[in-house]
């Protein structure tokens, strides 16, 4: 009986770890999408004359930092 409970506990822990990993991936995708949206908005504002080039550069830098840390998988979504 103890062996069964140990295996069940191990499977439950593995399931929790996989679930947490999936949640982390979704959060990283959302963050990447938000940064991409901010870059687009900053670029659009700059092109329309109401935004500053520095805002576009800052948004691009933030997006590049996110890609360096988490990859660019959200771009293929």
């Amino acid at each position: 009986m103890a062996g069964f409970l140990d295996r069940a506990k191990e499977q439950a822990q593995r399931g929790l770890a996989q679930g947490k990993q999936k949640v982390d991936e979704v959060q990283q995708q959302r963050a990447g999408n938000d940064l991409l949206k901010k870059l687009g908005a900053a670029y659009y504002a700059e092109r329309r004359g109401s935004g500053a080039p520095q805002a576009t550069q800052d948004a691009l830098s933030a997006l590049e930092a996110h890609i360096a840390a988490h990859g660019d998988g959200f771009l293929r979504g």
Side-chain angles (χ1 to χ4, degrees), residues 2-77:
F4 172 77
L5 292 177
D6 289 340
R7 285 193 306 272
K9 181 180 176 183
E10 183 180 310
Q11 285 180 333
Q13 288 174 338
R14 215 176 308 129
L16 285 172
Q18 289 173 343
K20 183 182 178 325
Q21 181 180 3
K22 184 64 177 172
V23 167
D24 290 344
E25 289 172 9
V26 169
Q27 288 174 338
Q28 291 169 6
Q29 277 189 321
R30 285 184 182 163
N33 288 334
D34 287 345
L35 290 169
L36 192 58
K37 184 177 176 181
K38 287 177 184 177
L39 174 60
Y43 178 75
Y44 179 77
E46 181 183 345
R47 296 293 292 174
R48 300 266 306 161
S50 61
Q54 187 59 45
T56 304
Q57 184 57 47
D58 291 346
L60 179 60
S61 295
L63 180 61
E64 288 173 338
H66 179 81
I67 290 171
H70 305 290
D72 64 354
F74 68 95
L75 294 172
R76 296 181 213 110

